[in-house]
Amino acid sequence: MLGFIVDLDGTVYRGGRLLAGSSAALDLLRELGHRIVFVTNNSVANPADYQRKLTGLGVQAAREEVISTNEVIAAHLVERGDDWQPVLAIGEEPLEEALRAAGLRLTAEWQVAGSVALGWDRRFTYRKLEAICRARAQGTPVVATNPDAMCPVEDGEVPDCGALIAAVERATGRPLEEVVGKPSPIMADAALARLRVDRSNCWVVGDRLETDIAMARTAGLQSALVLTGVSTRASVAASAHRPTQVCDDLAAVARFIVEGE
Ligand SMILES: [Mg+2]
């Protein structure tokens, strides 16, 4: 049995459009007895939203097969213990929901925060930036959901959590304590725990060298880069993040796996 940690945008669908052959490829992997989890760095939607989107596009997906950075950061903060609470959450509603669902205590006051959880926040303000920096100045750890500088949207790209991280790091003069999303192995460990498949039998499938493939490498997993999203065949040669396999699309990944059986 193999486990597949599958990226969503650029791998299964692109924006609101299902990529040709991706649904059938996932069905084929399931029929062979393999397990799948979908992972996303996006922190402004719930796993339930993704499950609905996938199902709406005709892709079989159970709620527990979708992992977002919000759940990963929540589980990580729980693991850090009581000293890291209460948590000052700077992000959108899904981040707060995930933190609460994990049983974490939240606060709106940087003065009393045990940690700060920073996610993509499309209502980010100077006051929020100030709160994070003041918390940091008194030694409070700041953990972020994902390092992506930009997020692709229908008509281009918009600033993502990575841009907010950069503002905090620039202002405070040092890197954040932790960023849990891809390429962090923290995200890979969360996916592996959900898959319950031996690490040596797990693959990461994604379209981005610097997140999906980099995570596979740091976590010691095999990886397949698909060319249906951001990265191209030419970018592989120029990158330090070499995938195990380069495939045109998810259907080609499934064919490659079938041939190997
Ligand atoms: Mg992607």
Side-chain angles (χ1 to χ4, degrees):
M1 185 205 299
L2 301 175
F4 291 89
I5 300 169
V6 181
D7 169 57
L8 288 171
D9 209 339
T11 302
V12 176
Y13 52 73
R14 197 162 180 172
R17 189 173 54 84
L18 187 69
L19 287 161
S22 64
S23 178
L26 293 166
D27 286 345
L28 177 59
L29 293 175
R30 288 182 193 279
E31 281 159 24
L32 293 168
H34 303 319
R35 290 190 183 150
I36 293 163
V37 292
F38 300 100
V39 292
T40 173
N41 265 5
N42 189 318
S43 62
V44 298
N46 288 314
D49 299 329
Y50 281 103
Q51 190 219 359
R52 260 195 303 279
K53 176 168 181 173
L54 285 166
T55 310
L57 289 168
V59 179
Q60 197 190 134
R63 164 64 193 81
E64 60 275 11
E65 286 176 328
V66 184
I67 303 176
S68 83
T69 44
N70 290 331
E71 294 171 286
V72 178
I73 201 170
H76 189 68
L77 291 175
V78 167
E79 222 167 80
R80 287 292 179 185
D82 281 348
D83 288 354
W84 286 49
Q85 294 184 49
V87 181
L88 171 62
I90 305 286
E92 299 197 9
E93 205 38 54
L95 172 65
E96 280 192 26
E97 279 171 26
L99 297 175
R100 280 208 189 86
L104 291 157
R105 286 175 294 117
L106 302 187
T107 180
E109 309 294 331
W110 63 264
Q111 292 89 340
V112 299
S115 64
V116 179
L118 172 63
W120 184 12
D121 186 348
R122 290 168 294 184
R123 291 183 302 271
F124 197 73
T125 60
Y126 182 84
R127 286 191 72 87
K128 291 181 181 181
L129 178 60
E130 181 187 348
I132 302 168
C133 292
R134 287 196 180 243
R136 268 207 117 185
Q138 65 176 18
T140 308
V142 180
V143 184
T145 54
N146 61 297
D148 309 66
M150 301 290 282
C151 180
V153 291
E154 291 296 327
D155 59 346
E157 290 184 310
V158 295
D160 199 329
C161 185
L164 310 182
I165 293 171
V168 174
E169 290 183 341
R170 173 74 173 154
T172 54
R174 61 201 159 93
L176 285 204
E177 276 69 20
E178 288 165 315
V179 184
V180 302
K182 298 180 279 185
S184 169
I186 297 170
M187 186 94 177
D189 286 343
L192 287 167
R194 199 69 71 86
L195 280 171
R196 286 170 287 114
V197 174
D198 191 73
R199 182 179 286 267
S200 61
N201 290 326
C202 282
W203 284 77
V204 176
V205 184
D207 69 305
R208 239 185 226 262
L209 289 164
E210 63 274 21
T211 52
D212 303 307
I213 306 307
M215 176 179 76
R217 286 182 58 94
T218 48
L221 307 172
Q222 300 172 89
S223 61
L225 177 78
V226 290
L227 303 174
T228 41
V230 174
S231 301
T232 61
R233 220 174 266 278
S235 61
V236 178
S239 172
H241 313 296
R242 297 288 170 88
T244 315
Q245 197 67 28
V246 180
C247 296
D248 285 336
D249 54 18
L250 201 48
V253 175
R255 279 199 299 276
F256 168 75
I257 295 297
V258 170
E259 280 161 18
E261 301 222 330

